[in-house]
Amino acid sequence: MPRTGMMAIRKDALVNATISEIGRAGSLDVTVGQIAKVAGVSSALAHHYFGSKDDLLLAAMRAILREFGAAARAELAKATTPMQRLDAIARASFGGKNFSPDVVSAWLTFYVMAQRDAEAARLLRVYQHRLVSNLTHGLRPLTSEPQRIAETAAALIDGLYIRHALAEVGPPDGTAAAARVMDYLNVALA
Amino acid sequence: MPRTGMMAIRKDALVNATISEIGRAGSLDVTVGQIAKVAGVSSALAHHYFGSKDDLLLAAMRAILREFGAAARAELAKATTPMQRLDAIARASFGGKNFSPDVVSAWLTFYVMAQRDAEAARLLRVYQHRLVSNLTHGLRPLTSEPQRIAETAAALIDGLYIRHALAEVGPPDGTAAAARVMDYLNVALA
Amino acid sequence: MPRTGMMAIRKDALVNATISEIGRAGSLDVTVGQIAKVAGVSSALAHHYFGSKDDLLLAAMRAILREFGAAARAELAKATTPMQRLDAIARASFGGKNFSPDVVSAWLTFYVMAQRDAEAARLLRVYQHRLVSNLTHGLRPLTSEPQRIAETAAALIDGLYIRHALAEVGPPDGTAAAARVMDYLNVALA
Amino acid sequence: MPRTGMMAIRKDALVNATISEIGRAGSLDVTVGQIAKVAGVSSALAHHYFGSKDDLLLAAMRAILREFGAAARAELAKATTPMQRLDAIARASFGGKNFSPDVVSAWLTFYVMAQRDAEAARLLRVYQHRLVSNLTHGLRPLTSEPQRIAETAAALIDGLYIRHALAEVGPPDGTAAAARVMDYLNVALA
DNA sequence: AATGAATGAGGATTCATTCAT
DNA sequence: GATGAATGAATCCTCATTCAT
């Protein structure tokens, strides 16, 4: 076990703990102490590595967006037809870690954080833009107004996301959500 | 002017101040002191009337939902055809006070609040249910699967709402948002 | 006892407690909690009334300078000849509360605070300027270079002050210090 | 270069960094981390070599006093007449490194440190005593009360020092300060 | 000889809430 | 009906210090 190189390990642990605790609490009202405890370190260390609570939250946000980006790329890599590409995007949005209660909760709070933090707002806009851009790209071979349909589909995805954050019980049903997006695309392209 | 009316006046002022301050701050991180100052009263009075900060927030939430309900009913009253009814709902969602930056911000924070507060969650579910219900009712004469389309439309409405919360500049464009919902309904019904 | 009007009382108590605690600790490393405890209130109240620790420290500084100004004016009012005026200034500098160990310690720390806080620096410069100005005024009838002698005397006063801050034991001897300043003035005017 | 020499090198670097950082910050509110960074080592090493922060500060204080002593001796060695000896002391006090903004700031903070740390107080008293002693020695051939004049001159030197710590702009003017001390001595001896 | 890792203790500050008047 | 006064509890953040390597 190398004594050096702990930084990366601790940072990862703290970011994961942040996501998990935000998810558990359902809000940004999570103390650095709670996060640190989950990560198995002192709160001082969290500050040592991230500088401030906001920086830690932003790091968590970036991790989620990165995760989503990776999932999307993985799904897209397997797609060959335009329709498969669209399906890939829909499934990436609602698949795996991206649709776990933790992440959905965290996602919601990031929207709130974006109201006061410029960097958070920037990150969310990057996400939004990328989603629309991916959809537009997939739609181009299929319709004369890809942009318009892509924007609607993107809003629909976000809406389904937020609606699931309020679901009474059980884990979110990602398959159903993805199917609903495809339904829309099918009728829009018809 | 009866002295007893003061209570109603103060409560209204506090609720309005709450919405306005949440909108200004873009989050629930609003102190009772700030709200009270905007309402022109002491923070002690806010507690006197509402018991706790959460109760005040819930009151603000109910006021917004009531406002939305009233707007929806007003629009629906003027509608005669099924399609007009649907348009009425769409316009109510994105019209008037309901789509001002203040309210959009407040709305967002209520979603977060709902993660930890059962009553807030209940209120949001009532809203969601009523929206789907209204849409379903309007769709019934027009399609064989009104529920499914209504749910998608409702998610789309929420998604457009949340997307506008991040809009870079200027006031939200309610007309465009409503039009986009109608676009979806048109293709879904085609 | 009026329930209102506590503010002035508390502020006074806090300012006095600040001077006393700085004197006791001999440095600015005094916690707001300590000060508040001495003043018989909570630390939260100190912030409520002064906004921040620095503001409280500055208020204490202003109180000391005001005290010194008042003492100087009182002594000057009794003087009739130029030499008496000079003696009055010297005695004011080293008399009463102004030369208690508390205040000498506080004074010293204000010099340090002035290294980082513009307002503190400004206040000290006002004091220095006023001291030189008073001395110059008193010296004008007695010499052709009042400014020069005044500046030297002022530095001597500050030097005696700081030297006494290190005195091994017992309370500072104000009379001796004042006499030494007068000695200088006597030879300088000879 | 012997390996054992590292200790001396590091210690010197840390002491110099301490003085420089105290001067930069204008107060003792300097972290060991900052000092270590300037010295190009880890903060752990600072503790390794000095044991504690206070010990490091005291080492810096001793270095300044040593520097001053060396400067005084060098100047005194060149003096042949009593008056030249006095001038030598005055110039040593305000010359070279001893009157740089860094050192003036550090000096000030040492006075504060002396309020709580016995060793710091002892060191300052040694300095004060030596200064008076040097002056007395120089004055003995010239007056019947060398002690009294020496003490006043020493206080004047300290006062000029502290006054310069608040100078609005530019580097301290050592020549002017030394001249002012000589002015006093000239009139006192007249 | 030197450091990255880690933390305990402490401090300023904020804020919902209470209460006497 | 209304508020100034007051605080306890909590939170972020800092920093000297320790230790294994």
Side-chain angles (χ1 to χ4, degrees):
Chain A
M1 230 183 303
R3 280 260 306 110
T4 192
M6 281 281 108
M7 190 172 94
I9 295 173
R10 297 305 189 200
K11 277 191 157 186
D12 271 11
L14 281 164
V15 162
N16 288 335
T18 302
I19 296 170
S20 140
E21 279 298 284
I22 288 180
R24 203 183 50 72
S27 83
L28 285 179
D29 286 338
V30 180
T31 72
V32 176
Q34 285 164 23
I35 294 171
K37 180 172 289 183
V38 170
V41 298
S42 71
S43 70
L45 198 68
H47 282 96
H48 181 60
Y49 281 136
F50 287 93
S52 76
K53 183 182 180 181
D54 268 12
D55 286 334
L56 176 54
L57 294 176
L58 286 174
M61 198 167 157
R62 281 195 203 91
I64 288 181
L65 293 177
R66 208 180 310 125
E67 178 88 24
F68 170 73
R73 271 192 305 278
E75 292 283 353
L76 281 172
K78 294 183 285 188
T80 52
T81 72
M83 216 56 196
Q84 281 176 340
R85 294 184 65 84
L86 295 173
D87 194 45
I89 297 168
R91 276 185 290 106
S93 288
F94 299 107
K97 279 194 196 169
N98 295 315
F99 208 44
S100 71
D102 278 9
V103 173
V104 172
S105 248
W107 200 260
L108 214 42
T109 65
F110 289 145
Y111 270 94
V112 172
M113 187 180 178
Q115 305 284 313
R116 62 161 218 274
D117 186 291
E119 175 65 2
R122 195 186 66 78
L123 287 173
L124 278 183
R125 287 209 201 91
V126 166
Y127 149 75
Q128 288 190 342
H129 198 264
R130 195 178 302 163
L131 179 57
V132 170
S133 169
N134 280 342
L135 287 166
T136 304
H137 189 64
L139 284 163
R140 206 169 312 244
L142 305 172
T143 174
S144 63
E145 44 178 14
Q147 175 78 17
R148 182 183 191 76
I149 295 179
E151 282 173 6
T152 301
L156 179 56
I157 287 173
D158 284 359
L160 289 168
Y161 221 91
I162 203 178
R163 291 224 143 207
H164 276 271
L166 275 186
E168 279 109 297
V169 291
D173 183 349
T175 310
R180 201 153 282 233
V181 174
M182 292 314 289
D183 275 357
Y184 161 68
L185 289 174
N186 277 323
V187 300
L189 292 172
Chain B
M1 252 180 290
R3 272 243 309 288
T4 42
M6 287 313 289
M7 184 169 101
I9 293 173
R10 298 303 194 197
K11 279 191 152 187
D12 270 13
L14 280 163
V15 163
N16 288 334
T18 303
I19 297 171
S20 139
E21 280 299 284
I22 288 180
R24 204 182 48 73
S27 83
L28 283 179
D29 285 340
V30 178
T31 72
V32 176
Q34 285 164 25
I35 293 171
K37 180 174 289 182
V38 171
V41 300
S42 73
S43 71
L45 195 67
H47 282 90
H48 182 59
Y49 278 139
F50 288 93
S52 78
K53 183 183 181 180
D54 269 10
D55 287 332
L56 176 54
L57 295 175
L58 286 175
M61 198 167 156
R62 282 195 203 92
I64 287 181
L65 293 177
R66 208 180 310 126
E67 176 90 23
F68 170 72
R73 272 192 303 280
E75 294 283 352
L76 281 172
K78 294 183 286 187
T80 53
T81 71
M83 216 57 196
Q84 281 176 340
R85 294 183 64 85
L86 296 172
D87 194 47
I89 297 169
R91 276 185 289 107
S93 287
F94 299 107
K97 279 193 195 169
N98 295 315
F99 208 44
S100 71
D102 278 10
V103 173
V104 171
S105 252
W107 201 261
L108 213 43
T109 65
F110 289 146
Y111 270 94
V112 172
M113 186 180 176
Q115 305 284 315
R116 64 161 213 273
D117 186 292
E119 175 67 1
R122 197 187 65 78
L123 287 173
L124 277 184
R125 286 206 205 92
V126 166
Y127 148 76
Q128 287 190 342
H129 198 263
R130 193 178 303 163
L131 178 57
V132 171
S133 169
N134 280 341
L135 287 165
T136 305
H137 189 64
L139 284 163
R140 207 173 306 257
L142 304 171
T143 174
S144 63
E145 43 179 15
Q147 176 78 16
R148 182 184 191 75
I149 295 179
E151 281 172 6
T152 302
L156 180 56
I157 288 173
D158 285 359
L160 290 168
Y161 224 89
I162 203 178
R163 290 225 143 206
H164 276 272
L166 273 188
E168 277 111 298
V169 290
D173 183 350
T175 309
R180 200 153 283 232
V181 175
M182 292 314 290
D183 275 357
Y184 162 67
L185 289 174
N186 278 323
V187 300
L189 293 173
Chain C
M1 231 183 303
R3 280 263 304 109
T4 192
M6 281 283 107
M7 190 173 94
I9 295 173
R10 296 307 190 199
K11 277 191 156 186
D12 271 12
L14 281 164
V15 162
N16 288 334
T18 303
I19 296 171
S20 139
E21 280 299 284
I22 287 181
R24 203 182 50 71
S27 84
L28 284 179
D29 284 339
V30 179
T31 72
V32 175
Q34 286 164 22
I35 294 172
K37 180 173 290 182
V38 170
V41 300
S42 72
S43 71
L45 197 68
H47 282 95
H48 181 59
Y49 280 135
F50 286 93
S52 77
K53 183 184 181 180
D54 269 13
D55 286 333
L56 176 54
L57 295 176
L58 287 175
M61 198 167 158
R62 281 195 204 92
I64 287 181
L65 293 177
R66 209 180 308 125
E67 178 89 23
F68 170 72
R73 271 192 304 278
E75 293 284 352
L76 281 172
K78 293 184 286 187
T80 53
T81 70
M83 217 57 197
Q84 281 176 342
R85 294 184 64 86
L86 295 173
D87 193 47
I89 297 169
R91 276 185 289 107
S93 286
F94 299 108
K97 280 193 195 168
N98 295 316
F99 208 44
S100 71
D102 278 10
V103 172
V104 172
S105 248
W107 200 262
L108 213 43
T109 64
F110 290 145
Y111 270 92
V112 172
M113 187 180 178
Q115 305 284 314
R116 62 162 217 272
D117 186 292
E119 176 65 3
R122 196 185 66 76
L123 287 173
L124 278 184
R125 285 207 203 93
V126 166
Y127 148 76
Q128 287 189 343
H129 198 263
R130 195 178 301 165
L131 179 56
V132 170
S133 169
N134 280 341
L135 288 167
T136 305
H137 190 63
L139 285 164
R140 207 172 308 251
L142 304 172
T143 174
S144 62
E145 44 180 13
Q147 175 78 17
R148 182 183 190 77
I149 296 179
E151 282 173 5
T152 301
L156 179 56
I157 288 174
D158 285 0
L160 289 169
Y161 221 91
I162 203 178
R163 289 225 145 205
H164 275 272
L166 275 185
E168 278 109 296
V169 289
D173 183 349
T175 309
R180 201 154 282 235
V181 174
M182 291 314 289
D183 275 356
Y184 162 68
L185 290 175
N186 278 322
V187 300
L189 293 172
Chain D
M1 253 181 290
R3 271 246 306 290
T4 41
M6 286 315 286
M7 186 169 100
I9 294 174
R10 297 305 194 197
K11 278 191 154 189
D12 270 13
L14 280 164
V15 163
N16 288 334
T18 302
I19 296 170
S20 139
E21 279 299 285
I22 288 181
R24 204 183 49 72
S27 83
L28 284 179
D29 286 340
V30 177
T31 72
V32 175
Q34 285 164 24
I35 293 171
K37 180 174 291 182
V38 169
V41 300
S42 72
S43 70
L45 195 66
H47 281 91
H48 183 58
Y49 278 139
F50 288 92
S52 77
K53 183 185 181 179
D54 269 10
D55 287 332
L56 176 54
L57 295 176
L58 286 174
M61 198 165 155
R62 281 196 204 90
I64 287 181
L65 292 177
R66 207 180 310 125
E67 176 89 24
F68 170 73
R73 272 192 304 281
E75 294 283 352
L76 281 171
K78 293 183 288 187
T80 53
T81 72
M83 216 57 198
Q84 281 176 343
R85 292 183 65 84
L86 296 172
D87 194 46
I89 297 168
R91 276 186 288 106
S93 287
F94 299 109
K97 279 193 195 169
N98 295 314
F99 208 44
S100 71
D102 277 11
V103 173
V104 172
S105 252
W107 201 260
L108 213 42
T109 64
F110 290 145
Y111 270 94
V112 172
M113 188 180 176
Q115 305 283 315
R116 63 161 215 272
D117 186 290
E119 175 66 1
R122 196 186 66 77
L123 287 172
L124 278 184
R125 285 206 206 92
V126 166
Y127 149 77
Q128 287 190 343
H129 199 262
R130 193 179 301 163
L131 179 56
V132 170
S133 170
N134 281 341
L135 287 166
T136 304
H137 190 65
L139 283 163
R140 209 173 307 257
L142 303 172
T143 174
S144 62
E145 43 179 14
Q147 176 79 16
R148 183 184 190 75
I149 295 179
E151 282 173 6
T152 302
L156 179 56
I157 288 174
D158 285 358
L160 288 168
Y161 223 90
I162 203 180
R163 289 225 144 207
H164 275 273
L166 273 187
E168 278 112 296
V169 290
D173 183 349
T175 308
R180 200 154 283 231
V181 174
M182 290 315 288
D183 275 356
Y184 162 68
L185 290 175
N186 277 323
V187 299
L189 293 173

